Every structure is written in C-alpha cells, then in structure tokens.
Amino acid sequence: MTDPFFHPVSGFELPRFAGIPTFMRLPHVALDDPRLAEVQVGLIGVPWDSGTTNRPGPRHGPRQMRDMSTMLRAEHGASQVRPFEAMACADLGDVAPNPADIQDAMARITRFYDRVRAAGIVPVTAGGDHLTSLPVLRALARDRPLGMIHFDSHTDLFHSYFNGMMYTHGTPFRRAVEEGLLDPKRVCQIGIRGSTYDQEDRDFARSVGIRVIPIEEFHARGVADVMAEAREIAGSGETYISYDIDFIDPAFAPGTGTPEIGGPNSYQALQVVRELEGVKIVGADVVEVSPPFDPSGGTAYLGATIMFEMLCIIAAGWDAS
Amino acid sequence: MTDPFFHPVSGFELPRFAGIPTFMRLPHVALDDPRLAEVQVGLIGVPWDSGTTNRPGPRHGPRQMRDMSTMLRAEHGASQVRPFEAMACADLGDVAPNPADIQDAMARITRFYDRVRAAGIVPVTAGGDHLTSLPVLRALARDRPLGMIHFDSHTDLFHSYFNGMMYTHGTPFRRAVEEGLLDPKRVCQIGIRGSTYDQEDRDFARSVGIRVIPIEEFHARGVADVMAEAREIAGSGETYISYDIDFIDPAFAPGTGTPEIGGPNSYQALQVVRELEGVKIVGADVVEVSPPFDPSGGTAYLGATIMFEMLCIIAAGWDAS
Amino acid sequence: MTDPFFHPVSGFELPRFAGIPTFMRLPHVALDDPRLAEVQVGLIGVPWDSGTTNRPGPRHGPRQMRDMSTMLRAEHGASQVRPFEAMACADLGDVAPNPADIQDAMARITRFYDRVRAAGIVPVTAGGDHLTSLPVLRALARDRPLGMIHFDSHTDLFHSYFNGMMYTHGTPFRRAVEEGLLDPKRVCQIGIRGSTYDQEDRDFARSVGIRVIPIEEFHARGVADVMAEAREIAGSGETYISYDIDFIDPAFAPGTGTPEIGGPNSYQALQVVRELEGVKIVGADVVEVSPPFDPSGGTAYLGATIMFEMLCIIAAGWDAS
Amino acid sequence: MTDPFFHPVSGFELPRFAGIPTFMRLPHVALDDPRLAEVQVGLIGVPWDSGTTNRPGPRHGPRQMRDMSTMLRAEHGASQVRPFEAMACADLGDVAPNPADIQDAMARITRFYDRVRAAGIVPVTAGGDHLTSLPVLRALARDRPLGMIHFDSHTDLFHSYFNGMMYTHGTPFRRAVEEGLLDPKRVCQIGIRGSTYDQEDRDFARSVGIRVIPIEEFHARGVADVMAEAREIAGSGETYISYDIDFIDPAFAPGTGTPEIGGPNSYQALQVVRELEGVKIVGADVVEVSPPFDPSGGTAYLGATIMFEMLCIIAAGWDAS
Amino acid sequence: MTDPFFHPVSGFELPRFAGIPTFMRLPHVALDDPRLAEVQVGLIGVPWDSGTTNRPGPRHGPRQMRDMSTMLRAEHGASQVRPFEAMACADLGDVAPNPADIQDAMARITRFYDRVRAAGIVPVTAGGDHLTSLPVLRALARDRPLGMIHFDSHTDLFHSYFNGMMYTHGTPFRRAVEEGLLDPKRVCQIGIRGSTYDQEDRDFARSVGIRVIPIEEFHARGVADVMAEAREIAGSGETYISYDIDFIDPAFAPGTGTPEIGGPNSYQALQVVRELEGVKIVGADVVEVSPPFDPSGGTAYLGATIMFEMLCIIAAGWDAS
Amino acid sequence: MTDPFFHPVSGFELPRFAGIPTFMRLPHVALDDPRLAEVQVGLIGVPWDSGTTNRPGPRHGPRQMRDMSTMLRAEHGASQVRPFEAMACADLGDVAPNPADIQDAMARITRFYDRVRAAGIVPVTAGGDHLTSLPVLRALARDRPLGMIHFDSHTDLFHSYFNGMMYTHGTPFRRAVEEGLLDPKRVCQIGIRGSTYDQEDRDFARSVGIRVIPIEEFHARGVADVMAEAREIAGSGETYISYDIDFIDPAFAPGTGTPEIGGPNSYQALQVVRELEGVKIVGADVVEVSPPFDPSGGTAYLGATIMFEMLCIIAAGWDAS
C-alpha cells in the first residue's frame, strides 16, 4: 500500500469538477521536488506538435487529458486493480517544449526523460504528436534497444517528408530503428490502415523485420488472437507501448489530426491494453489527442482512460514482481 | 384502433420540422384534461438533475428529446408494430420540479405519478438524472415491490456521497431496495463498467441478490443470451425498465454527464429493448440525456428512439393482453 | 499509367492543408476544357437539396467533401490499388443547380450528365440529397435500364409527399422504376431501417421485384454474405451504385438530415464497397452529406473516403478490362 | 387585465427549462380552437425556407425561437409594460408549409393569415426566410396597401434570381410593391449594407419612392434620429414591421444564412423597436433565424427578445387605444 | 517586489499551452501550506451552482477560467501595472462544495473564507453562480457591513423562488442586506436589464436605498460618468466588487445561464473595472461563467481578463498604501 | 473594364454554395499560367503557422477564407466600386510551405512573392500567422524600405522567444526593421492592447520611431481621427498594409490564436480600411485567421470581407492612377 500522499483526491471529498486538474487527481511532483525519489510511475505531459504535417493541435493534448482524467476513479471496474495503491504514481508536470525549434525541443524532452529514468520512474506520457516518442525513446533506450507494441493507423516508418525533413510525426520509428533504440524484430504495429503515399514504409518494415498487422487482419482475427501474437513478438524483454489515438475509429476519437476510417471501437481500444498483461513495460505513451478537433473532450477522456488502463496493467505486473 | 385524437401528426401533413414539439407529435393531455381518462400510455418529462454529482444538464433532457422525437414516424420498421394505434398514447407534459430542494422535488414527482397511476396509465419517462427513478418508483411500487431490468454503466447502488448525502443519482436503487420498492431478486443490471471508487455497491448487490452483468460479460455473451437471463430474472411479475443513456458507448451518446468508455453500440442499444418482449412492463424511463454535452441532439434522438422502442414492446404485449 | 496531369498533388509537395480544394487534389477539368476528352472517371458535385423533406443542408455537401478529400492519398492501403494511375480521373466541378425550381434543377443535372456520358466518362457524384440520383439516372440510363446496388436506411421508394409532391428525396427510385431507368429485378437495397409511415414503399418493392435487405438481416448475415447476394442480383449487367450516407450509423455519420439509429459501423461502411468487386459499375454517387449537421467535417471525410473506395473498385475492374 | 388563461406560465411555478415550449410560454390556441375568438395578438411560426438562395435553415427557426423564448418573463425591464396583461396573446402554432412547392406554400400561408385577420388578431410572425413576408402581406394588405418599416442588411427588392425565379428571399418586397400590398412612399428600409450584385434593387427603390437608409447613415446619425424619420415615413397609416435578423451584426446574430459584416449591436437592435412607439402596427415579423448556423440558440434568443419588444410596443399603443 | 516564488511562470520559459493550469500560472498555495502566511491576494475557485434556477454550469467555471487565464501575461498593457510584483498573489485552489446540499455548501464556503480572511488575504473569487457571493460575504463582512459595486443584468434582490426557496442565485443580496452584510446605502448595481417577473426586487432596492443603474442609463451616460457615481456611493469605506459575467452582452459572453440582450461590449466591460481605482476593495468575484454554454472558452477568457483587471486595480491601490 | 475572364462567377449563374471555392470566385491563375501576365492584383494564400507560439491553426486560414469569400458579390455596397472590373484580379493559389522548417518555409514564400512582384502584381495575402509578413516583405521591399499601416492587438516587435528564437509571430516587424524592409518612421501600429510580458517591444518602437496607437487612444479619438494620422505617417510613399484579425474584438473574430479583449467592433474593422483611401498600397495581408477556433467560419468571413474592402480601396486608387 502506497503512502496516502500518492492517492488521488476522491470525488467523495472534492467533487470531480472541482480542483486544479492534475492527471487522475494525483499529486503534482516536479522533477526538483524532494518526493520525486518516492515516485514509481510518473504521468508526464509533452505538449508539442512540431512534427505534425497536416492539422496541428496535440500541443494542447496534455491539458485536456488532465481535465478529463478527473472523471476517473481509484479502481479498475473489471480487474479490481487499484493502481494508485499498488504503485506510487504522480503527475510530473509537462516538459517545456520549444515550439519553434524541433531539435531543441527533442533535446529538452530527452533531458527530462533522462532524469525520470535516472530516478527509476516508469513514464506514462500524454503527447503531443507522435514525434514525441522518439526523444522519449532516446532516454529510455539509451543503452539497449527496446521492443515495442504500437497501436496506430499509420506505421510512422517513413523516411522523410517535404524535401528531406527527417523529423516529423510520420518518421519517428524509422529514426528509432536507425538509432538502435528499437529492436525491429521485437516490434509489432497494429491497426494500420488508410490510404498511403506508397509502400516505402512497409518495405522498410519488412526489410528490418517489423511485424505490421493491418486493420483487416485485426478485424478478422479479433483482439485476443492478435494480442497473443503481439505479446509473443515483444517477448520477455523490455518493451515500450506506443498508442496513437488515431488507432481508434474517428467516431470514437474525432479529436486527432490524421484520422483514418474503419478502426477499432472503444471497447476494443481498451481490450488491447488489457491484453498487455505479462509484457515487461518500461514506458508507454498516448499521443495525437488534438483538442481543437474535439472541444467536447470526448477524445481526451478516451485517451485518459487508456492511460488508466495502462497503469492498471503495469500495476498488475508490479504486484507480481 | 385508438381514437385518431391520439395519433401523432403525420410528417405528410405537417413537416417534421414544424409544429410545437410534443413527444412523438402526440397530443398534449395535461393531468387535469378530461381526456386523461382515455390515455393508456403517458409520456412524461421530468426535467430535473439535482441528484447529479458531476456534470449537470439532464434537466434540459425532456425538451431536447421532445424536439428530436419529431423525427420518429408511426410504425416500427422491423416489427411493423404501430404503437399509437394499439394504445392511446399522449404527452402528459413535464412534472414541475423544484430545482433548489431535493426532497420537495421528489415529493412533487411522486405526487404526479400517483395521479398517473391512479388513472391507470403506464408511464414512460424522459429524465432527468437517475435519481428521477426513485420518486417514480415510490408511486408505482407503493403497494408491492417491482422487478427491474436496468441498463446502465453504473449500478447506482451506492450508500451515500459527500459526507452522507443519501439522495444522488448514484444511490436511487439502494434507496429503492431499502424502501421495499424493488424486489432485489428480480433486479438485473446490465452493462456495468468504468472505474469505481470501490466495491461497496457490488457488495450490496450481492448481499441482496441483485444480478449485475458487467460489460465484459455482455460483450462476450451477446445481446440475446444476456437478455434471456434478464427476462428470466424479471420473471412474470410486474417489472420496471430503467434505461440510463450512459449504458451506450459515449461515441453514440456523448450527451451525458458520466460517460464510461467501451459500451454497446447503437444497434445493441435498440436490440436490448426489443428483447424485452414478454416482460410485464408497468413503467419505464430513459434518463441522463444531457443536452449541454450534445447540442447536436444526436443523443436525445437516440434516447427518443429508445422510448419509441419501449412503446412498441409495450404495444406488442398490449395486443396479447 | 495515366498522364501525370491527372495525378493528384502529393502531400509531400504541397501539404494537405494547402491549395484550392478539388476532389482528392485532382485537376479541375470543366466540361468545356479540351482535356475533357482524356478523362475516364469524373468526380462531380451536385450541390442541391430541394428534394429534402426535413432538415436541409446537402447543397453544401460537395464543397465540404472536396475539402476533406484532400486528406486522402494516392494508394489504397489494403489492396494497393493506385486508382489515379490506373484511370484518368478529374474533378469536373459542380452542376449549377437552380435552388428554387425542382424541375429546372433536374433538367440542368440531366443535361450535365448527358455531356459526361457522351464523353465516355464514368461519373462518381457527390450529392446533394437523394433526389439527385434521379436526374443522373435519366442521363445514364436513357437507353436501357440499369441495375442498382443501393446502400441506405430508407428505400426512397415512396409514391409522393405533402399532398402529391412526386419529386422529393423519398421518391427518386419509385420514379426511376416508373421511368424505366432501373430494372427492379436487378435492384438491391441494403441497410433499410428506422420507423416508417407505413408499408407503401416496401409493398411497391415487392410488387416490382426489388430486393430489400433490412438492417437486422444485414447484421445477422454479415457483410460478405449480404454482398454476395447483392452482386448476384446485380448480375453481369451495367449497374449503378447509390450510397446514402445515412446507411451508416449516425455516430459515424452525424452530418445528415434523416439519421436512423442502429446502422453499420465505419469499417462495414467501407467493406460493402470493397465487396463490389466484379460489378460492372457505370456510375456511382454518395449523397445526403449535410455539413450544417457536422461542422467538424467527419461525415464529409467518411463520404470522401467512400468515394475513394469506389474509385479503387472501379480501377480494379479497369485493370481487368 | 386579460383572462389569466392568456398569461404565460411563470418561472416561479414551472422552471423555465421545463414544459412543452410555446412562444413565451403562452397557451397554444389553434385556429380551430374556440378560444381563438378571444385572442388579440397571435404569435405564429412559419417554418419555411424555400426562398433561400444560399444557406438554408430558417425552416427550423420557429422551434428554436419557441425554445429560447421560454427565458423571457412577463414585464419589460425598462418600460414596465406587461404585454400579456394588456392584450390577450397566444401561440397560434405553425403554418404547415409545403417545403417542395413554393406556390403551394405561399398559398397555405396566405390562407392561414386570412383566417387570423378575419379573427381580428394582430399577427407577430417568427419566420422562415424573408419570402415569408410576401404571403403574409397578401393576407394583411389584401384591401389596401400598408406602410412598412423594414430592418435588414438587404433591400430584398431584386427582380429575380437564377434565370427568372421571381419568388426568393431576395425579391419579396419587389413583388409586394408590384402587387399593391405596400405603399412604397410609406416604406423605409434601415441598415442596408454588404456587397451587392449591382444597383438594380436601389434603382427600383428610388423609382418608386422607397427610402433606403444604409448602415453608414445609420451609424452616423444614431438610432433616435433615424427612427424619427422612419416614423415620419410610415406616418399615421397602418404599417407592417419586418425585421430580418441579419440587420444585426453577425457577432450578435450568427445564426442566419446571409450575414453582412458591420451591423448594429444588440442594444441598437432593441432600441430600434422601442422607437416604433406610436406607429400603427398591423403585423410584424422576425425572419431569417437559422438554427443550423447557431446551435447555441443565441440568435434565436435575440430573435425572441425582439418579438417580445414588438409585443411591448404594440401593448403600449393598445393601452392608448 | 514580491518573492519570485509568487511570480507567474513566463510564456517565454514554458509556453502558455503547457503546464498544469493554475490561475494566471501562479503558484498553488493550499490553505494548509506554510507559505499561505506570505500570500496577500488569493485567487479562489468556488465550483458550485446549486443556486441556479434555470441553466446550470457555473460549477465548471473555475477550471475553464484557470485554463484560459494562462493566456494572460505579467503586465497590464495600458497602465503598466505589474500586479504579481506589487502583491504576493497565489492560487488558493477550490473550495470543496457539496453539490447536493445548499446549506452545507454555503457553510463550507464561509469556513474557507474565514480562514482566508484570518490570514489577511484579499480574496478574488471565480464562481460559481451568484449565490456564491452570499457565503463569501458572510466571512468578509462578519463584523461590519460592506459597500458593494455590483455589475450585472439582474439585481439578485428577489425574496424567494419556487414556493419559498430563499437561497438561489436570484436572492443573494436580499439575504446579504437582511443579514447586515451589506450597507444598502453604499451599494450600487450597474447594467440591470432584461424582462422581469415584476418590480419586487426594485421596490426592495428603493426601500433600503440601493442605487440601481439600468442599462439604458448606462448607455446614455457612459462609463466614466456612471462609475464616478458608483465610486461616490461606495465612498471611502470597505467595498466588495461583484461582477456577474452576464453584465456583458451575450455576444461577448455567451457562456452563462441567464443572458440578457443589449449589454455593454467587452471594452466597456474592462473599463468599468479600471474605473474602480481608489475604491477600497476587500474582496471581489467574477461569477456565472458557465462553460457548457461556451465550450470555446471565450467567455472564461473574458472572465479571467476581468480578474486580471481587478488585480491590477487592487495593485494600484496597494502601491499607494 | 477588365476582361470578363477576370470577373467572379455570379451567384445568379452558379449559386454561392456551389463550385470549387477560389478567393471571391475569381479565376485560379497559377504562377506558370500564361494569363499571369494580365493579372494586376493577386490574391494569395500562405497556409503556414510555424511562427505561432501558443495556439496553432492559421495554416488552415486560406482555405476557410476562400470558402467564406464566395458569399461576397461584385460591388461595394457603400462606394459602389466594382473592383473586379477596375483591375484584373485572380487567385494565384497557395504558396507551398514547409511546415517543418521555418527557414525553408520563409525562403519559399519570398521566392513566390519575388515572382509575383516581377510580374507587376499587387499581392493581397491571406495568412498564415503573422510571421508570414516577413518573407513577403523581403520580396516586396527588397530594394527600398516601405511604410506600413498595421492593425493588430500586438506590436509583433519583440526581439525573440523561447531561448533565442528570432522568427516567431511575435517578432516579424522587429526583423523587418532590422533588415531595412520597413522605414520605422513611416510605420503606424493601431489597436495595441492586452497584457504584456514587458515594455521591450514598445521601447524598441520608440527607439526607432514607430508610432504605436493603443486601443484606449483608438476608442477615445475614433476611427476618422486615428486614420488621418495613420495616413499622414505613411505619407505618399509606398506602403504595406498588415491586418491581424486579432485587431478586432474576439466576439467578432473568435477564430484566432492570441485574442485580446476590448477591441474594435466589426463596423470599425471595415471603416479603418475604407480610411486607407489615398495610401499608396503595394501589398496587403490579412493574417491569423485560425479555423480550428471558429469552425462556423464567421471569422474567416470577416477576414474575407476585409480583403474585399482592401481590393475596393486599391481599386479606388487604381482609377485615379
């Protein structure tokens, strides 16, 4: 049982619409806070979307996800896991990005996560666009490649955009493989769909051994079967989870910049996370929530719920360790 | 065949966007109207949300449901039931709530439904938040407990909120069981999900014999199987149907105060009502439609369609009786 | 391989948010443009909703569909078909409707499509309300009846509305059968649902041999089985495809005037088009997208994606011919 | 003091969000209701927009204006006039339009207003697009021309649109002058602005003696001065008031189809009505409220408030008569 | 110069869209924080709307105002006052209301403000509906009556609602006068307008000596003249400022529950605060911001800007003291 | 009289909701089109917002402005100027920006405008954020400094942001002065307001002789007086007009990223442009229209109307030259 300092404020004490919104009503523990040493899982915002090639907005994602996350309660309805009692969780605040310089912004993010990792904290990130994952991986995978289970409608494996731009939200995992941050044979991408420029990304995937499961296969096989394969690919090694909200059908998650028709529904969106049980998770993110395209907050609420499911899965493994 | 006075205005006569909007374009028959004696099924609004613990709004539900219900026509597309010819249906107007006094408001609602019941009318209610069901049941179940089939993502069986508040939209059925209005062994709750404070509600359910079917079981077994069990639990006795719009996934029903991810889709939402055939329904409600969270009216249209499905199922039984 | 003139502008050259929006970023080739002779497939807007009996808006559909279609890319994600390389496609612009005179508007539309047909171009139309299909069919089926596969929640087979109005969006296919434009024995209507005035439309369908597949049957049998029957009904003859966006559940396609609860999801919405492979398509439309009821553009994006799926299916057949 | 039957329901009895929404919570008295004979001022909806040349929607105006009008109370804040006690007011319901036939729709409207006039009732109309005024005037001015004070950003004096269409919302007052329904020398148009096709409308105005006060003059002279002139033009004869909501700046009234930048603010919008005191008003309308372009209801609330101001001005004259 | 701990985070360090949103990016200092003793001005949220008689929502006001307040910077553009350097300001968090019990909620608010007052902190409150002001005044005016300058479209001086409810957002200042919290001769209400039930509130005002300045007088005299009178009424004694956002015209502030047409524009809305210079302010509030009626946040941004203007005026006086 | 090729499509021929939307329905003439040589005034989109420091979105501005501009007609309502007959105007399309590289994007913009200038075309630009003006000025002022009349709520004269970023939408005119593109003594900035970081920008203005007219002065003196001074400052030399949409109050122009309360209304927004008569305009822009913050299009319509006013003023001078 964790210290009550790390328990979220109850809606029975302070109604859910009240209070300064931190992730899941957890305490805010900044990187220079003395209690950082006690934190085991850190929820972090990366309000940054400089990698976005079409419709910007994910820079506003962490704030809206914090707001909507106040509707979540302390216990998982199905598994009865109580993550905040199992692990000391805290809101570590936002990385300060530089919205006008991609390289500087990436350096700032990596430095932040270096400190998080140094403190032994498992980071669960609210993006930000998908380029966010690259500087995070640079910190988490500095010394050995990680496996990755990646939910998305796009592979994000392209070489470059716009006349040689190497760092966009369509390229992070190409870079991550090139930089040795990911072990491509332990990478599985699930839900890929939508029209494409060409096959360049998938050719790369094949050439390095990344497993791509298109949405047609996902719908045909079902969640349990697909996720069993994903777990097998990730194996027993350290694994990163990257969850692009556009994995989910845009009717459920309209607040995103590059929606693709025909995705999973919200129940499947949660089930794939529950099926991560047993994976050795060293970090996770939920990216591409774009509030300007969903002022209602429904997409952010879905994103926050996925973060909660991630916490519960991590907590389930925590108990066992 | 009912008196044409009780038939809705046809869209061929007056276009659906025209006219003062009553429920399903039925005649408005106030409680003091002489034609009340002819009414067999009454559609009633309870514009009240004082039991809401987080995001208010259902007080505006009846008006938006009336508006959107004007898109409904006279015949059920699948069953070909024509409810308004089978039973004399009318819009009985709204209960006048007291938005500033919960006890007074509940007393006003119960008095209204006492008169409805005295007139031998089956009420189909548009809420209002879920606390609405309690004062309605106090009238309908005054002399013997009812069974209940309850669609929701929450059990609404909690003991109290905020330092002992016994009457909120999270507590109505706890009170109803305590007051002897429901026979817990004839109560079935379907679709329960989402994060929870703790197990207090489910412990109570178990202790009194209420059957809770969580969403995971619902999705695994399917509508037909779950509803067969629900009918068996309700049995041949008099039964109330309570339908919280947050039973349905928030992509389909965003206009509600306490959404929970991962619910049924809209087709399942209708099918569960169709599977009520044979249940002895003495009253029904659709609650928690909150227009401020869905100005488009889509949620209200879904709620009104569920009310229409309820009418058709009641009419199907009516023919047989 | 088509002339590069007919290839869409790449998002790598001009970002997808930039540029004057034509359908799928194709060149605009007006009817009097000398390059019209090279066009094989023409995307055409019919901004017209004078047949609408309830909530107007589809007159704004083509513009919003053009806008959202700029998010589509050159290759189909699953089939790898590259339609714009297989066939010379162009945006032929909008028909100039007369919003104040139904007969004049229909005459203008038919004249436009006469010229399109004379040029040997396969038209793929963005409506407009469903009455649009009638003047289009008058051009395409002038000399022999066509088969039709029709996705919708309504049959649009009614005789008349409002005191004898023969031309509304609820009557186009009644007229088309009467005028010999459709061979009713080769017509299949899929997804029919919702409350109805009466059985007059379905009685007509039965009397002439139109096959109506209600949504209940659709959900029970599944896409593949239903579409196999549809292909069999259409047979090897020339066939028109008419796709009312209200075929799809309103959670996925809220931007429409007459939504009906309980429809297919977005994945099924795409799959039914993919299952048209082998049908001899001489024209197609996507109608009833109504931007005022979905300012987000999500419905228009879904409609544009369906148009893209249609192009890919036509292209698949093109290769084979 | 009028019969209490004609008093609106008080918000102290039934909260303003409750109840079936009639105009200003007045009783609904249909044309065949025996109490019609007692009505002195009738509020009437004309849900019709077939004259709209660009963005449709005003057919939905009366319903949203009814809904928002429930926020109005019994007494004018500044003048302390209590219109519902001074005159027997009632909601006469909506005219049933034919949305698919302009001539039939106009005939229906005129017949309705013939009956209203025959009953000696002063009609205050909620449109509908501006073509609505023409069939209303055909009833009210059947036997002698009326004066008119007309608030608008457009003159609505054009000859025809689209190849000879004589009946659109840009032509009603041209027709009304031609048909002898208006005495052009007693017509004043206030607020005219925005880009124009040409001077055809203003040339006509000049040729028949209609006074056009452009917005520049309005802003330069101020409300009091302009309205003094308007009253002088209307003189002591019977006068119709026509108020197009697009008279007001679109920041205050975004819910309309043809907004023009640079109009009066909301205070001026009310003041111009207050300055009608002394004018002999035989009918009035508020038109072009288009709910799809303002789902918030703010524009409809403004429109309903203008209707209330009209009632108060009529009541002020009533007391004197 | 205050301790840098009390300076807001600069947008040059952390972009304005980043970070956990406190009021104006100030430090969060809870009531039990040791630094409370250093705070001179406290920004406090009261997320509570149980006094609302029509459209609820202000319970969500503080959170949205915090969010939008992050767009404000350190220095007043016109006066060059830098309030956060002049006075130690902090976000004291939200009062925990009881949404289901008005009396308990008021007691909680008063207790919170008792502690604030005991700490010598000037509170600037973000409501909440207008009933909020009553329990705040019970703490601030416990030992002597205060003067008040009150911006609003309603007097909020009614006796009771709904069959004797004494505590609603229409009654707080009636109660405050009765309880001796306000010296009515030092109270000035500005901007009053809109339809009314009757003159009961104004009769009361007259009877106790409250000065009511209706909107017509406000527009006729102008800001400077009206505010000179207001300052004279308040005199040199301790004064409370209460600012209902519905003082402002609904085009500028649509996010509120009881809008009234014809109010001041946003420039006037700021000017009236600037004209408070010299008033001895002991507390201030901005109430009735209702996010569900303005999801864009524009109203909350206006409300937050008014809070900033209040801080600057207080700071101007601070320097002088 | 210009060649009819350069006249916009009339709404009497093709309704305003129809057709592929170019600016004001003008012909699209790309830079490589042979008719470019005939163009005298070019409307150009710069869909780019990489300089945005807070809320992105202006990259979507040109498309929404094109869409809304279709509501404009051929003649100015007040001056009767017919700009499209006075000068050959065309839509030159969008500059292709690089959203991921600020320097590359600026180089692309400057190259585009070099060609425009080489063709002797006066450019009227739809941004884009305000950094857009810098690369435009680099082309237009390559060989001599220009004067500038600048409408805005911010000076955009800051030195740098975020640790030395020299190119943001807060710095363009600092750079322009440093690069010799503007003659600061001939620069006038009107409407400046809102909270500020500090006085660094205004100190710079003073040091180089830029005249800053804050909003307080604007409201006190009125449009005519302020604009007379602005014309005097600009003098008879070549002058650039830069119009940031946030000059206007956010109630009128909510669709922008950095709104400031208390600005001019929409009538004043137009009047300031009309008062530019006599200024020697060599280019103009309307920037910072951000569609994600106003999906209704009202802000874009206001922006397009300002562009039309600019064309009319340029045309008025054209006649004289």
Side-chain angles (χ1 to χ4, degrees), chain A residues 294-316:
Chain A
D294 187 4
S296 80
T299 306
Y301 181 49
L302 179 47
T305 302
I306 291 166
M307 292 174 76
F308 180 76
E309 294 279 351
M310 287 169 164
L311 290 181
C312 291
I313 278 298
I314 295 172

Side-chain angles (χ1 to χ4, degrees), chain A residues 29 88 220 227 246:
Chain A
V29 177
M227 291 307 300
D246 71 25

